[in-house]
Short mmCIF file of all heavy atoms in Angstrom, two decimals:
data_model
loop_
_atom_site.label_atom_id
_atom_site.label_comp_id
_atom_site.label_asym_id
_atom_site.label_seq_id
_atom_site.Cartn_x
_atom_site.Cartn_y
_atom_site.Cartn_z
N PHE A 40 25.77 -35.72 -23.50
CA PHE A 40 27.16 -35.30 -23.53
C PHE A 40 27.39 -34.48 -24.79
O PHE A 40 27.21 -34.97 -25.91
CB PHE A 40 28.10 -36.51 -23.51
CG PHE A 40 29.56 -36.16 -23.57
CD1 PHE A 40 30.18 -35.51 -22.50
CD2 PHE A 40 30.32 -36.45 -24.70
CE1 PHE A 40 31.52 -35.17 -22.56
CE2 PHE A 40 31.67 -36.11 -24.76
CZ PHE A 40 32.27 -35.46 -23.68
N ILE A 54 32.10 -49.04 -32.32
CA ILE A 54 32.30 -49.33 -33.75
C ILE A 54 33.75 -49.09 -34.16
O ILE A 54 34.37 -49.91 -34.84
CB ILE A 54 31.34 -48.49 -34.62
CG1 ILE A 54 29.90 -48.96 -34.42
CG2 ILE A 54 31.72 -48.60 -36.10
CD1 ILE A 54 28.87 -48.04 -35.05
N VAL A 60 40.34 -53.24 -34.22
CA VAL A 60 40.71 -54.61 -33.83
C VAL A 60 40.58 -55.55 -35.04
O VAL A 60 41.45 -56.39 -35.29
CB VAL A 60 39.81 -55.10 -32.68
CG1 VAL A 60 40.03 -56.60 -32.43
CG2 VAL A 60 40.10 -54.31 -31.41
N PHE A 61 39.51 -55.40 -35.81
CA PHE A 61 39.30 -56.22 -37.01
C PHE A 61 40.41 -55.98 -38.02
O PHE A 61 40.92 -56.92 -38.63
CB PHE A 61 37.94 -55.87 -37.61
CG PHE A 61 37.64 -56.59 -38.90
CD1 PHE A 61 37.38 -57.96 -38.91
CD2 PHE A 61 37.61 -55.90 -40.10
CE1 PHE A 61 37.11 -58.62 -40.10
CE2 PHE A 61 37.34 -56.56 -41.29
CZ PHE A 61 37.08 -57.92 -41.29
N PHE A 84 34.14 -51.44 -47.78
CA PHE A 84 33.68 -51.91 -46.47
C PHE A 84 33.53 -50.74 -45.50
O PHE A 84 32.50 -50.61 -44.82
CB PHE A 84 34.66 -52.94 -45.92
CG PHE A 84 34.44 -53.32 -44.49
CD1 PHE A 84 33.36 -54.11 -44.12
CD2 PHE A 84 35.31 -52.88 -43.49
CE1 PHE A 84 33.15 -54.45 -42.79
CE2 PHE A 84 35.11 -53.21 -42.17
CZ PHE A 84 34.03 -54.00 -41.81
N ALA A 87 30.59 -48.58 -46.38
CA ALA A 87 29.33 -49.22 -45.97
C ALA A 87 29.06 -49.01 -44.48
O ALA A 87 27.92 -48.74 -44.08
CB ALA A 87 29.39 -50.72 -46.30
N PHE A 92 26.11 -46.07 -40.28
CA PHE A 92 26.10 -45.21 -39.11
C PHE A 92 25.31 -43.93 -39.41
O PHE A 92 24.54 -43.46 -38.58
CB PHE A 92 27.53 -44.85 -38.70
CG PHE A 92 27.61 -44.10 -37.39
CD1 PHE A 92 27.58 -44.79 -36.18
CD2 PHE A 92 27.70 -42.72 -37.37
CE1 PHE A 92 27.65 -44.11 -34.98
CE2 PHE A 92 27.77 -42.03 -36.17
CZ PHE A 92 27.74 -42.73 -34.97
N GLY A 94 22.91 -43.69 -41.51
CA GLY A 94 21.50 -44.10 -41.51
C GLY A 94 20.94 -44.18 -40.10
O GLY A 94 19.78 -43.81 -39.85
N PHE A 188 44.83 -23.04 -55.55
CA PHE A 188 44.81 -22.81 -57.00
C PHE A 188 46.19 -22.43 -57.51
O PHE A 188 46.67 -22.93 -58.52
CB PHE A 188 43.83 -21.69 -57.35
CG PHE A 188 42.41 -22.15 -57.53
CD1 PHE A 188 41.41 -21.64 -56.73
CD2 PHE A 188 42.09 -23.09 -58.50
CE1 PHE A 188 40.10 -22.04 -56.89
CE2 PHE A 188 40.77 -23.50 -58.67
CZ PHE A 188 39.78 -22.98 -57.86
N LYS A 191 48.85 -25.46 -57.16
CA LYS A 191 48.34 -26.81 -57.43
C LYS A 191 49.34 -27.72 -58.13
O LYS A 191 49.21 -28.93 -58.08
CB LYS A 191 47.05 -26.73 -58.26
CG LYS A 191 47.17 -26.07 -59.60
CD LYS A 191 45.79 -25.96 -60.26
CE LYS A 191 45.85 -25.23 -61.60
NZ LYS A 191 46.61 -25.97 -62.59
N ASN A 200 61.02 -29.80 -45.10
CA ASN A 200 59.94 -29.79 -44.13
C ASN A 200 60.49 -29.57 -42.72
O ASN A 200 61.43 -30.26 -42.30
CB ASN A 200 59.18 -31.12 -44.19
CG ASN A 200 57.99 -31.15 -43.27
OD1 ASN A 200 58.13 -31.36 -42.07
ND2 ASN A 200 56.82 -30.96 -43.84
N PHE A 210 67.25 -35.75 -33.04
CA PHE A 210 67.14 -37.13 -32.57
C PHE A 210 68.10 -38.04 -33.34
O PHE A 210 68.52 -37.72 -34.45
CB PHE A 210 65.70 -37.65 -32.74
CG PHE A 210 64.69 -36.95 -31.88
CD1 PHE A 210 64.04 -35.81 -32.36
CD2 PHE A 210 64.39 -37.41 -30.61
CE1 PHE A 210 63.10 -35.16 -31.57
CE2 PHE A 210 63.45 -36.76 -29.83
CZ PHE A 210 62.81 -35.63 -30.30
N VAL A 247 53.55 -38.15 -40.83
CA VAL A 247 52.16 -38.38 -41.22
C VAL A 247 51.21 -37.73 -40.22
O VAL A 247 50.22 -37.10 -40.60
CB VAL A 247 51.88 -39.89 -41.35
CG1 VAL A 247 50.38 -40.17 -41.40
CG2 VAL A 247 52.55 -40.44 -42.61
N GLU A 248 51.52 -37.87 -38.92
CA GLU A 248 50.69 -37.24 -37.89
C GLU A 248 50.72 -35.72 -38.03
O GLU A 248 49.69 -35.04 -37.90
CB GLU A 248 51.19 -37.64 -36.50
CG GLU A 248 51.02 -39.10 -36.16
CD GLU A 248 49.59 -39.47 -35.84
OE1 GLU A 248 48.67 -38.67 -36.10
OE2 GLU A 248 49.37 -40.59 -35.34
N VAL A 262 33.80 -28.51 -41.97
CA VAL A 262 32.62 -29.26 -41.52
C VAL A 262 31.75 -28.38 -40.62
O VAL A 262 30.53 -28.57 -40.57
CB VAL A 262 33.04 -30.56 -40.81
CG1 VAL A 262 31.81 -31.36 -40.38
CG2 VAL A 262 33.90 -31.42 -41.72
N ILE A 306 38.13 -25.63 -55.27
CA ILE A 306 36.78 -25.08 -55.47
C ILE A 306 35.89 -25.40 -54.27
O ILE A 306 35.14 -24.54 -53.79
CB ILE A 306 36.17 -25.65 -56.77
CG1 ILE A 306 36.96 -25.15 -58.00
CG2 ILE A 306 34.70 -25.24 -56.90
CD1 ILE A 306 36.55 -25.83 -59.28
N TRP A 346 40.15 -39.11 -67.27
CA TRP A 346 39.99 -38.99 -68.72
C TRP A 346 41.19 -38.32 -69.36
O TRP A 346 41.71 -38.79 -70.37
CB TRP A 346 38.71 -38.21 -69.03
CG TRP A 346 38.49 -38.04 -70.51
CD1 TRP A 346 38.10 -38.98 -71.42
CD2 TRP A 346 38.67 -36.83 -71.26
NE1 TRP A 346 38.02 -38.44 -72.67
CE2 TRP A 346 38.36 -37.12 -72.61
CE3 TRP A 346 39.06 -35.53 -70.91
CZ2 TRP A 346 38.43 -36.15 -73.61
CZ3 TRP A 346 39.12 -34.57 -71.91
CH2 TRP A 346 38.81 -34.89 -73.24
N LYS A 347 41.68 -37.24 -68.76
CA LYS A 347 42.81 -36.50 -69.33
C LYS A 347 44.10 -37.31 -69.30
O LYS A 347 44.99 -37.10 -70.12
CB LYS A 347 43.01 -35.18 -68.57
CG LYS A 347 41.95 -34.14 -68.85
CD LYS A 347 42.06 -33.55 -70.25
CE LYS A 347 43.24 -32.60 -70.35
NZ LYS A 347 43.30 -31.92 -71.67
N THR A 348 44.23 -38.22 -68.34
CA THR A 348 45.47 -38.99 -68.20
C THR A 348 45.27 -40.45 -68.63
O THR A 348 46.04 -41.33 -68.24
CB THR A 348 45.96 -38.97 -66.73
OG1 THR A 348 44.95 -39.54 -65.89
CG2 THR A 348 46.23 -37.54 -66.27
N GLU A 351 48.25 -42.30 -70.05
CA GLU A 351 49.50 -42.27 -69.28
C GLU A 351 49.62 -43.52 -68.42
O GLU A 351 48.62 -44.01 -67.89
CB GLU A 351 49.55 -41.03 -68.38
CG GLU A 351 49.56 -39.71 -69.13
CD GLU A 351 49.64 -38.52 -68.19
OE1 GLU A 351 49.98 -38.74 -67.01
OE2 GLU A 351 49.38 -37.40 -68.63
N PRO A 352 50.82 -44.05 -68.24
CA PRO A 352 51.00 -45.20 -67.34
C PRO A 352 50.85 -44.76 -65.89
O PRO A 352 51.10 -43.60 -65.55
CB PRO A 352 52.43 -45.66 -67.63
CG PRO A 352 53.13 -44.41 -68.10
CD PRO A 352 52.10 -43.62 -68.86
N GLN A 361 63.67 -40.20 -54.98
CA GLN A 361 63.92 -40.41 -53.56
C GLN A 361 65.30 -39.93 -53.17
O GLN A 361 65.99 -40.51 -52.34
CB GLN A 361 63.77 -41.91 -53.24
CG GLN A 361 62.37 -42.45 -53.55
CD GLN A 361 62.28 -43.94 -53.38
OE1 GLN A 361 63.26 -44.61 -53.09
NE2 GLN A 361 61.10 -44.49 -53.58
#
Side-chain angles (χ1 to χ4, degrees):
F40 178 68
I54 291 170
V60 171
F61 177 70
F84 169 72
F92 187 83
F188 274 120
K191 60 184 177 66
N200 184 281
F210 294 90
V247 165
E248 293 285 13
V262 182
I306 294 171
W346 179 73
K347 288 289 286 185
T348 60
E351 297 181 15
Q361 299 173 357

